[in-house]
Amino acid sequence: MFRSFTGDRYPIIIPSSFNGYKIIKPIGNGQFSVTALVEIKDTKQQFCAKIISKRDMANKQKTHLIENEVNILQSIHHPNIIKFYEAFNLENEFGEEFIIIITEYCPNGDLLDFICQNDFQDEIEMKKILYEILKAIQYIHQIGIYHCDIKPENILLDYQ
């Protein structure tokens, strides 16, 4: 079993393997979710699984946010925005239902960790990262999507 807590301390308990995926390790958590590194059992290809409790979202009257997130992720295609692969329901042994969103795995973590771990003296590197972020924001704004929570810990790095 995989056990973790959301940022709001809601317990997430799901099988360590599901739908052909195996959980490798937890990556982080958000207010309503937990993220884990998963791999396809046969190919060992790695992805990120965002795990959201339907019960927790219903209790907070936020269920609509899950559907909205999946719809947006399915509709956007940009090199600087995380790639969506699939979403599905999962029920644990206690009968609780979860939504699992499978996305691209970004092995270099988030921008906040990158800033904290590096002596950001390379002005060219800083400008390149900022330029790529602005291209992604411009793209989503052009198609009528507004993120509303852009912060370093929500910007993931797939390479450095």
Side-chain angles (χ1 to χ4, degrees):
M1 282 302 222
F2 173 79
R3 298 171 190 272
S4 190
F5 291 91
T6 67
D8 282 351
R9 303 298 303 154
Y10 188 86
I12 301 290
I13 303 169
I14 63 167
S16 298
S17 295
F18 51 84
N19 288 45
Y21 296 97
K22 175 184 171 190
I23 294 178
I24 304 303
K25 67 178 182 177
I27 298 173
N29 57 13
Q31 184 176 5
F32 307 120
S33 66
V34 168
T35 55
L37 172 62
V38 298
E39 69 181 18
I40 296 177
K41 291 180 194 178
D42 297 338
T43 67
K44 306 293 186 213
Q45 185 178 4
Q46 295 185 332
F47 297 92
C48 177
K50 184 174 186 177
I51 306 156
I52 307 163
S53 165
K54 285 184 165 184
R55 179 184 304 154
D56 184 38
M57 294 301 281
N59 290 343
K60 294 174 181 169
Q61 298 180 334
K62 301 284 186 185
T63 305
H64 64 283
L65 295 178
I66 302 169
E67 185 177 327
N68 191 41
E69 180 174 354
V70 170
N71 288 339
I72 288 171
L73 285 171
Q74 287 175 324
S75 70
I76 56 179
H77 305 284
H78 189 275
N80 297 339
I81 298 175
I82 199 104
K83 290 175 188 65
F84 169 85
Y85 289 97
E86 67 176 319
F88 51 86
N89 293 319
L90 177 70
E91 187 174 311
N92 69 11
E93 65 185 37
F94 309 108
E96 185 173 3
E97 291 185 70
F98 298 86
I99 300 283
I100 311 292
I101 300 172
I102 303 293
T103 63
E104 166 186 15
Y105 171 57
C106 295
N108 290 311
D110 63 45
L111 183 58
L112 181 62
D113 288 340
F114 179 76
I115 291 168
C116 292
Q117 293 170 3
N118 293 284
D119 186 20
F120 238 132
Q121 304 225 351
D122 186 349
E123 188 175 328
I124 293 170
E125 177 91 17
M126 288 188 308
K127 286 180 179 179
K128 181 179 184 245
I129 290 170
L130 182 58
Y131 178 72
E132 298 299 324
I133 293 167
L134 292 173
K135 285 191 332 187
I137 294 169
Q138 179 183 33
Y139 168 76
I140 64 171
H141 286 188
Q142 286 174 341
I143 61 173
I145 298 169
Y146 298 89
H147 191 284
C148 300
D149 195 22
I150 296 172
K151 56 188 177 185
E153 48 266 64
N154 285 342
I155 296 170
L156 302 175
L157 304 173
D158 59 356
Y159 65 91
Q160 295 176 349

